[in-house]
Amino acid sequence: MAVTSGFAGLSQQVVPAAPAVPKIDKLGRAYATGKRKNAIARVWIKRGTGKFVVNDREGEKYFVRPVLRMMLAQPFVIAGRLGQFDVWCTVVGGGLSGQAGAVRHGISKALTYYEPELRSKLKGGGFLTRDSRVVERKKYGRAKARRSFQFSKR
């Protein structure tokens, strides 16, 4: 289908976008890397019963706080796939909160690789955006990154 532009004699071809192809390895897994603060998570997902393994430990034992476990389930809830995927991941760096954010980011990316049609739902929820906020470094002449030393006139 040819679409003419505003200039005389010039035309432009409009080609429909090719449908996204799932990125799944020969074992039926999708892989993605998630990041948050100083934490980096390598995440593999595949169809299963909802089993969750983090650093060779059960997910419930690694992320003990219910808020962190709820964070990890959010991409599956938004996508309507809760309990349909097994998750295996390794995570290093940062604290538990940053690690949970990194795993959530990795799960979201891996879901889009496994089922590309879920991308719009996950992107709308903000799960595919890497949260780039990191701790600001301490500067010399300061008590912390921005806090000054206590001032006293006498």
Side-chain angles (χ1 to χ4, degrees), residues 4-64:
T4 59
S5 64
F7 299 107
L10 295 178
S11 65
Q12 208 176 21
Q13 283 290 55
V14 178
V15 181
V21 179
K23 297 177 185 171
I24 302 171
D25 66 5
K26 59 188 170 207
L27 299 176
R29 304 174 303 183
Y31 167 79
T33 304
K35 295 182 180 183
R36 170 84 166 89
K37 294 186 177 180
N38 282 329
I40 301 171
R42 299 183 304 159
V43 180
W44 291 266
I45 66 167
K46 68 175 193 171
R47 289 270 181 210
T49 58
K51 197 169 105 179
F52 204 92
V53 178
V54 182
N55 291 351
D56 297 324
R57 290 166 55 188
E58 254 184 68
E60 288 77 32
K61 291 199 170 114
Y62 193 86
F63 294 112
V64 181

Side-chain angles (χ1 to χ4, degrees), residues 3-138:
V3 178
T4 59
S5 64
F7 299 107
L10 295 178
S11 65
Q12 208 176 21
Q13 283 290 55
V14 178
V15 181
V21 179
K23 297 177 185 171
I24 302 171
D25 66 5
K26 59 188 170 207
L27 299 176
R29 304 174 303 183
Y31 167 79
T33 304
K35 295 182 180 183
R36 170 84 166 89
K37 294 186 177 180
N38 282 329
I40 301 171
R42 299 183 304 159
V43 180
W44 291 266
I45 66 167
K46 68 175 193 171
R47 289 270 181 210
T49 58
K51 197 169 105 179
F52 204 92
V53 178
V54 182
N55 291 351
D56 297 324
R57 290 166 55 188
E58 254 184 68
E60 288 77 32
K61 291 199 170 114
Y62 193 86
F63 294 112
V64 181
R65 283 186 261 159
V67 174
L68 300 180
R69 288 199 297 250
M70 183 258 313
M71 270 180 63
L72 300 177
Q74 283 176 337
F76 293 118
V77 171
I78 293 290
R81 303 288 190 273
L82 191 61
Q84 296 179 18
F85 285 93
D86 290 342
V87 179
W88 185 81
C89 64
T90 58
V91 62
V92 293
L96 279 180
S97 175
Q99 288 184 352
V103 172
R104 180 177 80 168
H105 185 226
I107 289 171
S108 303
K109 283 172 63 176
L111 269 173
T112 61
Y113 294 152
Y114 202 94
E115 296 183 46
E117 62 273 5
L118 296 176
R119 182 171 172 80
S120 61
K121 283 185 184 178
L122 293 169
K123 190 154 179 72
F127 297 117
L128 297 178
T129 305
R130 196 263 201 235
D131 191 351
S132 61
R133 295 175 296 168
V134 293
V135 177
E136 192 174 344
R137 77 172 190 90
K138 184 197 175 299

